[in-house]
Amino acid sequence: MEDVRGLRVVYVSHCVLNQNSVVRGLAVRRGMLSEVVGVLDGLGLGVVQLPCPETGYLGLKRWWQVKDQYDCVGFRKYCRRLAEEAVSLALEFEGNGVRVVAVVGIRGSPSCGVRETSTGWVGGDPSKAGRSVRVWGMGVFMEELEKAFREAGLSVPMTDVDVSRLKESAAELREFLGRLV
């Protein structure tokens, strides 16, 4: 039997493959973001599911938060540990001929946003939190992941998908990844 592996993988934020990890009330699918998975499958890419730092750190009963809350020493250290584990696997892949093509995050996420993250609440009474706002920049986990890749000598392009416009975002992802594969 011939080995037909494609030798290319993409790292994806946990909730791309498991919407059950998303803060209660924010999941947009029952299971996975099939639009994104379809793009990856169509390009013949393997998928590495990153851990969900928010669920791992605060659990499923957490409140929604913005980057302002997650941008603290303890959460950064936790994200750094997860990032180092992800990079160790990437080095194993790369050292054995499997290219890490890209990282795909979640636009607007305080942890996994790549192009946009969220801000808008600096603490206090959550009933007075108001609305969060998307701003340019990375979430905490993606910042730590990018730094860990760079320190390991790996240049891995990063992008994110917007769950509020999945069809358009999947088309953008197909174009982005198509330039890389």
Side-chain angles (χ1 to χ4, degrees), residues 29-62:
R29 293 290 186 274
R30 293 173 57 91
M32 64 182 72
L33 303 179
S34 58
E35 297 86 346
V36 174
V37 174
V39 168
L40 303 175
D41 186 39
L43 292 171
L45 298 168
V47 176
V48 176
Q49 182 180 26
L50 291 165
C52 176
E54 295 175 28
T55 300
Y57 194 75
L58 291 175
L60 288 173
K61 295 178 183 174
R62 68 191 183 275

Side-chain angles (χ1 to χ4, degrees), residues 31-90:
M32 64 182 72
L33 303 179
S34 58
E35 297 86 346
V36 174
V37 174
V39 168
L40 303 175
D41 186 39
L43 292 171
L45 298 168
V47 176
V48 176
Q49 182 180 26
L50 291 165
C52 176
E54 295 175 28
T55 300
Y57 194 75
L58 291 175
L60 288 173
K61 295 178 183 174
R62 68 191 183 275
W63 300 104
W64 63 268
Q65 296 191 54
V66 294
K67 185 177 178 183
D68 303 275
Q69 283 84 44
Y70 285 121
D71 197 0
C72 65
V73 174
F75 188 67
R76 274 202 180 272
K77 282 184 178 181
Y78 179 71
C79 287
R80 180 60 186 205
R81 189 176 81 233
L82 298 178
E84 288 172 354
E85 290 176 11
V87 169
S88 291
L89 182 59

Side-chain angles (χ1 to χ4, degrees), residues 37-180:
V37 174
V39 168
L40 303 175
D41 186 39
L43 292 171
L45 298 168
V47 176
V48 176
Q49 182 180 26
L50 291 165
C52 176
E54 295 175 28
T55 300
Y57 194 75
L58 291 175
L60 288 173
K61 295 178 183 174
R62 68 191 183 275
W63 300 104
W64 63 268
Q65 296 191 54
V66 294
K67 185 177 178 183
D68 303 275
Q69 283 84 44
Y70 285 121
D71 197 0
C72 65
V73 174
F75 188 67
R76 274 202 180 272
K77 282 184 178 181
Y78 179 71
C79 287
R80 180 60 186 205
R81 189 176 81 233
L82 298 178
E84 288 172 354
E85 290 176 11
V87 169
S88 291
L89 182 59
L91 289 169
E92 179 65 19
F93 280 133
E94 292 277 341
N96 287 281
V98 178
R99 185 165 63 97
V100 179
V101 175
V103 172
V104 179
I106 299 294
R107 194 166 309 154
S109 167
S111 298
C112 292
V114 174
R115 293 183 280 183
E116 292 180 1
T117 188
S118 59
T119 189
W121 185 46
V122 293
D125 182 350
S127 69
K128 298 176 182 168
R131 305 195 86 177
S132 65
V133 178
R134 283 189 182 184
V135 295
W136 282 110
M138 286 187 163
V140 175
F141 182 44
M142 289 298 141
E143 287 176 346
E144 294 300 324
L145 185 60
E146 180 185 54
K147 186 178 0 173
F149 274 127
R150 187 175 57 249
E151 290 171 358
L154 296 175
S155 177
V156 180
M158 301 174 82
T159 191
D160 49 21
V161 293
D162 189 338
V163 298
S164 67
R165 35 183 294 283
L166 272 172
K167 184 177 179 184
E168 298 88 350
S169 201
E172 293 166 3
L173 179 63
R174 183 178 296 108
E175 183 179 324
F176 176 81
L177 293 173
R179 293 191 300 263
L180 300 173

